[in-house]
Amino acid sequence: MAVKAKKTARKSNTIKLKFDTSWSYDPAPESKSAASIKPKYDHFINGAWVKPAGGKYFDSINPANEEKLSEVADGNEADVNKAVSAARNAYEQTWQKMPAKERAKYIFRIARMVQEKARELAIIETLDGGKPIRESRDFDVPTAANHFFYYAGWADKLEYAFPNRKTSALGVAGQIIPWNFPLLMAAWKIAPALATGNTVVLKPAETTPLTALKLAEIIQESDLPPGVVNIITGAGATGADIVNHPDINKIAFTGSTDVGKLIQRAVAGTNKRVTLELGGKAANIIFEDAPLDQAVEGVINGIYFNQGHVCCAGSRLYVQESVAKQVIRKLKDRMETLIVGDPLDKNTDIGAINSRQQLDTIQRYIKIGKQEGAEMYESSCRLPGKGFFCRPTLFTNVAQSNRIAQEEIFGPVLSVLTFRTDDEVIEKANNSPYGLSAGVWTDKGSKIFNLTKRMRAGVVWANTFNKFDPTSPFGGYKESGFGREGGFAWVIALCEFN
Ligand code: NAI
Ligand code: MG
């Protein structure tokens, strides 16, 4: 690695060390050979692979090179019916009757098998969705295993967790997940449902079905009783068939606010329980007394992590006016060092945007930002010739009312705004249709407590960002959805109290 420093004279006669950012890391690609992807996948229903009733399949591609990886079954109503009746049957005949400590053994077994196949799962996640291998290897897959471990521990404690109350499962859970954390979201939804005695019909997103199907293979190998977990693939229409199925007791959805609203309408007047985990526009707030380098690193992680494909991405940065210039300069310097490119390369910081459609959305917002009069800065890195890529981008001179400060972009695009006082920044941070997460950077503990109390956000990180743990509840205010998933709260949301 070579870093060259150039001396540049500035007007003020101070000397600035300007780093030439042509970091010359040698490529360090992870090998594809450790991953086995079948050319074609059917639905996983009742413990077996079942051809789609309509006979249709669709491709899942690698967004980093636009090459086809596999084709997967396109589910229709008949497939959903089959999956729901398998789940109902398994619930009534087997899973509900099984002693909790026996249920836990299966969940522990799945956790261990996810760990054993961690490398393969990480590679498939990166190939199918475009996220850097470092992230899928160090975050997605271990956190997915941790979810199975954590909830396995809950299964036989439920009867002691609610004194003087008896709990039972809800029945069949329909779970619809997005493309930003495909395996982790599957684990996040499946593990607590199994621990509480529910059975599952899960649908992964159409651009990233492969790790969920790999998980189906693991589940099959774990000897989990047939029908307890069913995984069917398809796009929005298949998701809607799950939502509308009359024999589902609980819908858990993570995805866009628009689809969340459709789901809420669809289940109104039914007995289905719902948790919705939707979009976000997190405010990340830096006070002048914060450790600025640490804060800048946190902001970079908060927005560029996973290409900004994170519902709780710190996409609005509020910097106290007195340090704004300094913070923006540090941010730009750090952006220049980010490596954008082959997601399988272990040096890559920012991988591929998940789909052409999402790249179009991001580029549309970048255009809107410029039209709104904000000033755009993007890193000068070169982008690969094929695949869907976007440079890390930030906007300064952003107004609170600008669309780039109000709407979810879901890409590596940061809007920077400034403030003077605590009251002002609280008002601005809360002035959003969303309320999923937020971040505060300050040296003063009292300020953290004062601020976090007043923020309308489900998660507030202090002097850190994007930290997840299966034991923590997670969920939003306002258009970010309702209900809490994660931790003990997720257990409660999946139980009936008698
Ligand atoms: P989406 O909400 O359409 O997709 C999420 C999941 O919902 C997928 O599995 C999809 O097949 C399913 N789905 C789509 N329409 C459905 C319907 N009518 N009924 C039931 N299920 C349905 O999200 P999309 O279009 O992929 O992304 C659009 C925007 O949504 C993104 O730009 C981003 O702003 C936001 N988003 C937010 C996520 C989050 O984690 N909160 C995750 C993914 C997207
Ligand atoms: Mg794909």
Side-chain angles (χ1 to χ4, degrees):
M1 179 186 79
V3 185
K4 289 174 245 154
K6 278 193 284 194
K7 284 185 179 170
T8 330
R10 298 242 286 340
K11 271 190 211 142
S12 59
N13 281 342
T14 54
I15 300 289
K16 185 191 169 205
L17 281 179
K18 188 166 181 214
F19 286 98
D20 178 341
T21 48
S22 51
W23 300 75
S24 46
Y25 281 109
D26 285 333
E30 173 56 289
S31 164
K32 278 184 220 172
S33 62
S36 104
I37 299 177
K38 289 194 277 186
K40 197 182 223 182
Y41 286 93
D42 294 320
H43 299 305
F44 181 66
I45 300 175
N46 210 21
W49 296 95
V50 177
K51 292 203 177 315
K56 287 196 190 137
Y57 293 82
F58 62 92
D59 294 347
S60 188
I61 64 157
N62 175 351
N65 58 18
E66 300 169 59
E67 282 167 18
K68 172 174 163 180
L69 290 167
S70 181
E71 52 192 58
V72 304
D74 192 2
N76 65 15
E77 208 180 330
D79 298 314
V80 171
N81 287 342
K82 223 182 273 177
V84 175
S85 68
R88 173 64 56 196
N89 201 39
Y91 175 69
E92 277 165 10
Q93 303 304 320
T94 326
W95 201 237
Q96 193 192 22
K97 294 182 185 161
M98 192 183 282
K101 68 172 199 245
E102 294 303 315
R103 283 205 313 266
K105 286 182 194 166
Y106 286 105
I107 311 171
F108 276 123
R109 190 180 294 164
I110 295 167
R112 285 195 300 271
M113 290 172 77
V114 169
Q115 279 185 324
E116 280 158 20
K117 291 184 193 284
R119 183 165 174 220
E120 184 181 19
L121 287 165
I123 297 169
I124 298 175
E125 198 71 307
T126 285
L127 287 169
D128 200 18
K131 67 171 61 195
I133 187 74
R134 232 173 41 213
E135 252 167 54
S136 31
R137 182 195 63 191
D138 298 345
F139 177 70
D140 292 63
V141 178
T143 317
N146 285 348
H147 274 77
F148 282 109
F149 277 118
Y150 171 72
Y151 286 106
W154 264 117
D156 63 351
K157 322 273 180 318
L158 285 174
E159 59 173 305
Y160 310 106
F162 308 100
N164 304 321
R165 297 181 81 180
K166 263 196 109 40
T167 62
S168 58
L170 299 174
V172 178
Q175 310 181 327
I176 298 160
I177 57 172
W179 39 263
N180 50 350
F181 294 95
L183 179 70
L184 175 55
M185 277 295 124
W188 166 300
K189 304 273 191 222
I190 293 173
L194 298 190
T196 46
N198 296 281
T199 58
V200 168
V201 176
L202 174 119
K203 189 195 83 64
E206 52 272 37
T207 55
T208 55
L210 299 183
T211 44
L213 293 163
K214 207 74 202 171
L215 183 62
E217 288 179 3
I218 289 175
I219 286 169
Q220 195 176 30
E221 231 180 284
S222 78
D223 277 335
L224 187 77
V228 172
V229 173
N230 306 275
I231 297 182
I232 63 167
T233 45
T238 318
D241 288 336
I242 295 177
V243 170
N244 294 323
H245 197 289
D247 200 26
I248 282 190
N249 304 91
K250 155 92 189 175
I251 295 290
F253 172 75
T254 302
S256 62
T257 296
D258 287 346
V259 173
K261 287 178 182 172
L262 289 176
I263 292 177
Q264 203 177 347
R265 261 181 232 128
V267 300
T270 72
N271 274 333
K272 288 173 193 155
R273 301 242 192 125
V274 192
T275 40
L276 298 177
E277 201 267 276
L278 310 175
K281 191 77 186 175
N284 212 346
I285 303 172
I286 301 183
F287 284 93
E288 59 189 3
D289 59 17
L292 294 186
D293 287 325
Q294 193 186 323
V296 163
E297 202 51 37
V299 170
I300 293 277
N301 170 46
I303 182 65
Y304 301 128
F305 169 64
N306 199 20
Q307 298 72 248
H309 296 339
V310 187
C311 45
C312 45
S315 51
R316 284 184 295 157
L317 173 64
Y318 290 95
V319 195
Q320 200 152 21
E321 221 170 73
S322 49
V323 290
K325 230 170 149 181
Q326 204 182 342
V327 166
I328 291 166
R329 182 177 53 73
K330 281 176 187 286
L331 275 173
K332 289 178 179 174
D333 286 350
R334 183 67 178 94
M335 281 163 76
E336 279 298 324
T337 67
L338 294 174
I339 298 170
V340 184
D342 179 8
L344 272 184
D345 193 315
K346 291 165 197 151
N347 297 319
T348 296
D349 297 302
I350 300 184
I353 299 300
N354 186 265
S355 64
R356 182 181 297 282
Q357 193 192 0
Q358 189 59 27
L359 181 60
D360 290 346
T361 303
I362 297 167
Q363 284 169 343
R364 199 174 65 242
Y365 272 107
I366 292 177
K367 229 181 182 167
I368 290 170
K370 289 194 237 170
Q371 284 161 358
E372 285 178 319
E375 204 173 297
M376 188 195 78
Y377 176 84
E378 58 177 14
S379 87
S380 58
C381 64
R382 237 179 301 149
L383 298 183
K386 265 180 108 184
F388 316 131
F389 290 91
C390 180
R391 294 189 181 87
T393 303
L394 72 75
F395 280 100
T396 48
N397 287 336
V398 180
Q400 180 70 27
S401 58
N402 285 169
R403 287 182 65 188
I404 55 165
Q406 290 288 334
E407 296 174 21
E408 184 178 48
I409 302 174
F410 227 62
V413 182
L414 177 67
S415 296
V416 185
L417 298 95
T418 59
F419 70 95
R420 289 183 185 167
T421 66
D422 294 15
D423 286 346
E424 179 189 351
V425 76
I426 287 287
E427 197 175 321
K428 283 179 164 173
N430 286 340
N431 175 353
S432 164
Y434 296 110
L436 193 56
S437 65
V440 182
W441 300 85
T442 169
D443 202 26
K444 306 261 182 318
S446 55
K447 200 181 266 177
I448 292 172
F449 288 118
N450 178 24
L451 248 76
T452 49
K453 262 199 316 221
R454 297 163 67 195
M455 303 256 269
R456 306 275 298 154
V459 185
V460 185
W461 286 291
N463 294 328
T464 187
F465 207 85
N466 268 347
K467 288 276 179 277
F468 294 92
D469 190 278
T471 64
S472 306
F474 188 83
Y477 285 70
K478 300 187 266 184
E479 292 200 15
S480 290
F482 52 75
R484 293 292 176 264
E485 299 187 348
F488 187 37
W490 210 178
V491 172
I492 296 171
L494 287 157
C495 286
E496 190 82 71
F497 292 90
N498 309 302

